[in-house]
């Protein structure tokens, strides 16, 4: 029987599979479909201090094997999320990770402090990379200096492990990754969605009010996989790979290029029990390839 | 709510791009109520990536009936399926229509908006007086008329824009007269957005409860992706999938 556990250094997870923020609601929505405790963790949809309505419709546009979204981090605010987390904890022991957002650095720090203080929360993921908050897609993760300052401030005020979620919409993702690491990030997760554009030829306008939107889904997997490899070659903190994962084989690809764990996102919309299927597929692939634990192949891509 | 492998029992083209599927989906059929919808995975491949939201036309356990127009890639692939094919169906989803015991109910259906209202009529016609206004561009857009005539309705009013069936014109052109004469307690409507927007204006002077079932582009169908938001008159955004698809007509901010 394959051992799915992965070691992040600061914590061992029972599986490399983590449900990605923004694609798994607040966890409860998936309880009818499978036992969440098979997962390494679930990440709550990104949260700000106050409730946010998000962007005006339309918010979704399908592309071949992909999905453009411009949700704009709609959410209920910190107080309501604390209630959701307590409810989820009462139903399952799965590690709960909070995706921390902010309109400015002070808000990032305040939200991180709030959830660092919750016993039910295993770790935090700092969402410095959402492309849908500002028009044009600007976010802290596009600047290594800003990333370092913000990560440093947050780390000073929290007592939980901190994952920093990176943007692919940068010239030098390795530079930003190392800035986050050197400022104290315990792990890096990458990538958030790729900036994309959809055009309505009848209206001669962009489909989305924000013009650009974030692309996810199987279409981005090769792009994300390359960026994960680049960062894994230089960073010493564990990397959590994200982008287009929809099968057990995809997970092994990310582990081979150096990821310690992975997140599954858009596939959860199409297939609510995707995590269960992918877990079974990882086990089957490990047995086929005679892998006892994923650490045996982590970063072992032969070039 | 469950994700079930449905087996197509019967597939029919009704002319034009209208299609009818009869699918064995015992789990969903056991609990589907009028107004509920399902998310149907049309392909094992990743294009299209997302499921398609479709209203439930009828429910006769273990079967559900789906009625849809093949308009884009997803619905065209669905239309190409036949008996013996299987497909993943998530449902039943959404909030469904209240039953309104003892009330006089007017159903207002535009085109494929007949779907949830047909289901309502089938389940509720024997328990309360029901009237139906059904409109489309022409005869070809009203292919369910024979089935509708078999329902126990107290009144049926047909409209077609080209005059090929029933009264000529948009159904909204005859609405006020029907409402004045029949004096319903409740209206339930479903149809294109311009029709619902017009209804919101036309029905405002009357002291009735008006509910509309909305269509939206959806990512997941069960409240997670927040892709199907619709604006209300207070400026708030509500999710069509799990806060709807049925909303008070006057609560929605219709385009002007």
């Amino acid at each position: 029987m394959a051992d799915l556990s992965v070691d992040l250094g600061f914590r061992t997870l029972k599986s490399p599979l983590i449900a990605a923020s923004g694609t798994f609601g607040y966890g409860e929505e998936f309880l009818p479909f499978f036992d969440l405790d098979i997962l390494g963790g679930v990440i709550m949809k990104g949260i700000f201090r106050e409730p946010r309505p998000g962007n005006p419709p339309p918010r979704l546009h399908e592309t071949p094997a992909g999905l453009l979204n411009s949700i704009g981090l709609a959410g209920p605010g910190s107080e309501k999320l604390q209630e959701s987390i307590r409810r989820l904890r009462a139903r399952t022991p799965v590690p709960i990770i909070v995706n921390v957002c902010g309109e400015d650095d002070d808000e990032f720090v305040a939200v991180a402090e709030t959830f660092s203080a919750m016993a039910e929360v295993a770790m935090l993921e700092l969402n410095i990379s959402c492309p849908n908050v500002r028009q044009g897609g600007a976010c802290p993760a596009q600047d290594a200096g800003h990333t370092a300052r913000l990560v440093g401030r947050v780390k000073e005020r929290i007592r939980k492990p901190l994952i920093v979620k990176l943007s692919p919409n940068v010239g030098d993702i390795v530079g930003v990754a190392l800035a986050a690491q050197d400022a104290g990030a315990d792990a890096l997760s990458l990538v958030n969605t790729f900036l994309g554009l959809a055009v309505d030829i009848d209206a001669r306008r962009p489909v989305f009010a924000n013009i650009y939107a974030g692309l996810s889904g199987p279409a981005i997997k090769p792009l994300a996989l390359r960026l994960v490899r680049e960062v894994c070659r230089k960073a010493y903190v564990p990397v959590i790979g994200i982008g287009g994962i929809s099968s057990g084989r995809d997970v092994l690809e990310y582990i081979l290029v150096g990821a310690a764990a992975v997140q599954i996102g858009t596939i959860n919309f199409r297939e609510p029990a995707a995590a269960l299927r992918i877990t079974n597929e990882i086990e089957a692939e490990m047995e086929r390839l005679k892998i006892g634990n994923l650490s045996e192949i982590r970063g072992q891509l032969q070039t | 709510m469950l994700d079930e492998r449905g087996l197509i029992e019967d597939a029919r083209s009704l002319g034009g791009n209208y299609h009818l599927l009869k699918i064995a989906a015992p789990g969903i059929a056991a609990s589907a109520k009028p107004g509920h919808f399902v998310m149907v995975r049309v392909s094992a491949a990743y294009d299209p990536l997302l499921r398609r939201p479709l209203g439930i036309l009828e429910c006769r356990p273990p079967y559900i009936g789906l009625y849809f127009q093949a308009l884009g890639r997803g619905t065209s692939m669905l239309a190409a399926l036949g008996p013996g094919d299987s497909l993943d169906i998530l449902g039943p989803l959404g909030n469904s229509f209240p039953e309104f015991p003892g009330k006089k109910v007017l159903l207002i259906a535009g085109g494929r908006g007949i779907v949830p209202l047909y289901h309502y009529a089938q389940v509720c016609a024997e328990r309360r007086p029901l009237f139906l206004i059904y409109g489309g561009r022409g005869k070809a857009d009203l292919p369910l008329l024979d089935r509708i005539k078999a329902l126990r309705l107290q009144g049926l009013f047909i409209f077609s824009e080209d005059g090929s069936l029933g009264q000529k014109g948009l159904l909204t052109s005859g609405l006020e007269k029907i409402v004045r004469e029949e004096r319903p307690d409740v209206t339930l409507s479903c149809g294109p957005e311009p029709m619902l927007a017009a209804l919101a204006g036309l029905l405002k002077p009357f002291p009735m409860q008006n509910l509309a079932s909305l269509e939206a582009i959806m990512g997941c169908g069960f409240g997670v992706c927040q892709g199907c938001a619709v604006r209300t008159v207070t400026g708030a955004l509500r999710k069509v999938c799990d806060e709807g698809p049925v909303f008070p007509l006057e609560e929605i901010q219709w385009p002007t």
Side-chain angles (χ1 to χ4, degrees):
Chain A
M1 192 66 188
D3 168 20
L4 288 191
S5 71
V6 295
D7 185 7
L8 298 181
F10 53 89
R11 183 174 179 130
T12 301
L13 303 179
K14 71 159 59 166
S15 161
L17 270 195
I18 299 168
S21 182
T23 68
F24 211 68
Y26 304 103
E28 282 182 300
E29 296 91 333
F30 287 82
L31 290 168
F33 300 111
F34 67 98
D35 175 5
L36 270 48
D37 195 32
I38 63 167
L39 289 166
V42 299
I43 309 184
M44 306 287 99
K45 181 165 172 61
I47 198 74
F48 289 76
R49 197 163 32 199
E50 300 301 326
R52 279 170 66 94
N55 292 336
R59 292 173 160 191
L60 297 178
H61 181 81
E62 244 178 327
T63 69
L67 174 65
L68 277 165
N69 89 77
S70 181
I71 307 295
L73 290 170
S78 288
E79 216 175 296
K80 280 266 160 54
L81 180 61
Q82 293 179 60
E83 292 166 24
S84 299
I85 288 170
R86 289 188 194 104
R87 279 202 308 273
L88 183 61
R89 173 55 71 243
R91 302 283 304 274
T92 168
V94 70
I96 296 172
I97 303 168
V98 172
N99 183 272
V100 173
C101 303
E103 288 277 355
D104 54 35
D105 292 9
D106 291 344
E107 185 175 2
F108 273 110
V109 173
V111 174
E113 271 190 290
T114 300
F115 290 98
S116 176
M118 278 189 86
E120 295 87 348
V121 172
M123 42 189 132
L124 306 180
E125 180 177 61
L126 199 63
N127 187 358
I128 59 171
S129 49
C130 181
N132 293 326
V133 177
R134 291 200 171 71
Q135 198 173 59
C139 60
Q142 288 181 324
D143 181 85
H146 190 178
T147 297
R149 279 196 309 281
L150 180 53
V151 171
R153 277 191 65 191
V154 169
K155 269 302 282 187
E156 250 173 45
R157 307 299 290 271
I158 64 170
R159 262 172 268 130
K160 305 249 194 234
L162 182 70
I163 305 165
V164 177
K165 187 169 182 177
L166 303 181
S167 167
N169 307 306
V170 295
D172 175 21
I173 196 170
V174 174
V176 181
L178 297 182
Q181 169 185 282
D182 296 344
D186 298 288
L188 305 168
S189 58
L190 58 146
V191 293
N192 208 317
T193 53
F194 285 82
L195 271 183
L197 172 64
V199 170
D200 176 342
I201 61 166
D202 291 295
R204 302 189 183 183
R205 294 180 63 86
V207 166
F208 296 107
N210 251 5
I211 307 176
Y212 298 145
L215 183 66
S216 64
I220 71 164
K221 198 193 74 184
L223 303 172
L225 199 57
R226 177 183 79 86
L227 295 173
V228 168
R229 175 169 184 259
E230 299 283 342
V231 171
C232 287
R233 291 175 78 182
K234 292 283 157 61
Y236 59 79
V237 294
V239 169
I240 301 170
I242 321 168
I245 292 172
S246 56
S247 71
R249 297 177 72 108
D250 293 342
V251 174
L252 265 65
E253 290 178 23
Y254 273 90
I255 303 293
L256 269 170
V257 305
V262 297
Q263 294 180 15
I264 54 168
T266 305
I267 194 71
N268 297 316
F269 297 156
R270 169 183 163 102
E271 194 188 336
L276 178 60
R277 172 181 60 78
I278 295 172
T279 300
N280 293 333
E281 289 174 0
I282 297 170
E283 283 179 351
E285 286 297 329
M286 287 174 72
E287 269 161 38
R288 182 176 74 82
L289 296 166
K290 301 196 173 24
I291 300 164
N293 182 280
L294 291 173
S295 60
E296 295 162 26
I297 62 159
R298 181 173 159 195
Q300 296 300 310
L301 185 73
Q302 305 298 310
T303 54
Chain B
M1 172 176 59
L2 73 160
D3 190 6
E4 188 168 39
R5 177 63 55 92
L7 186 67
I8 298 177
E9 172 81 11
D10 192 20
R12 278 180 210 190
S13 168
L14 300 179
N17 50 18
Y18 292 93
H19 297 269
L20 206 51
L21 286 178
K22 180 181 179 186
I23 304 169
I28 293 169
S31 54
K33 292 195 170 67
H36 277 146
F37 68 98
V38 292
M39 292 291 284
V40 180
R41 191 163 108 184
V42 299
S43 166
Y46 291 124
D47 187 15
L49 182 61
L50 301 174
R51 297 185 189 218
R52 292 295 180 264
L54 292 174
I56 298 172
L57 179 75
E58 60 183 337
C59 182
R60 297 178 187 278
Y63 300 107
I64 58 168
L66 302 179
Y67 169 73
F68 62 96
Q69 261 181 300
L71 290 174
R73 218 176 125 66
T75 42
S76 298
M77 289 170 86
L78 192 60
L81 299 178
D85 288 333
S86 63
L87 70 182
D88 289 345
I89 307 175
L90 178 67
L93 300 166
N95 59 357
S96 76
F97 290 115
E99 286 211 18
F100 298 110
K103 304 276 189 184
K104 196 169 178 182
V105 178
L106 173 65
L107 309 174
I108 307 169
R112 65 174 184 272
I114 188 67
V115 169
L117 303 179
Y118 180 88
H119 192 187
Y120 184 88
Q122 225 182 27
V123 171
C124 299
E126 296 188 3
R127 281 176 272 166
R128 67 188 51 67
L130 274 188
F131 298 81
L132 170 64
I133 307 179
Y134 184 27
R137 273 189 219 107
K139 193 177 175 196
D141 294 296
L142 305 168
L144 290 183
L145 205 54
D146 287 346
R147 289 168 174 254
I148 286 164
K149 283 177 176 162
L151 295 169
R152 289 196 200 175
L153 298 168
Q154 290 221 346
L156 173 62
F157 310 91
I158 307 294
F159 290 82
S160 60
E161 287 174 53
D162 63 5
S164 56
L165 207 66
Q167 301 178 56
K168 185 172 179 177
L170 293 167
L171 65 81
T172 45
S173 66
L175 180 74
E176 276 189 77
K177 183 166 173 276
I178 294 164
V179 170
R180 281 187 205 290
E181 285 172 5
E182 305 298 347
R183 298 183 170 276
D185 303 303
V186 176
T187 73
L188 307 179
S189 53
C190 185
E193 194 176 60
M195 177 194 112
L196 296 176
L199 287 183
L202 286 167
L203 295 174
K204 213 171 192 173
F206 297 97
M208 296 174 299
Q209 190 176 353
N210 305 304
L211 298 177
S213 175
L214 272 54
E215 238 184 7
I217 293 172
M218 289 183 188
C220 67
F222 58 107
V224 170
C225 76
Q226 310 217 15
C228 60
V230 63
R231 200 172 288 286
T232 68
V233 287
T234 65
L237 291 162
R238 310 260 312 261
K239 290 180 285 175
V240 174
C241 72
D242 69 346
E243 297 181 79
V246 177
F247 293 94
L249 184 67
E250 56 277 3
E251 223 173 74
I252 302 302
Q253 180 66 60
W254 301 104
T256 44

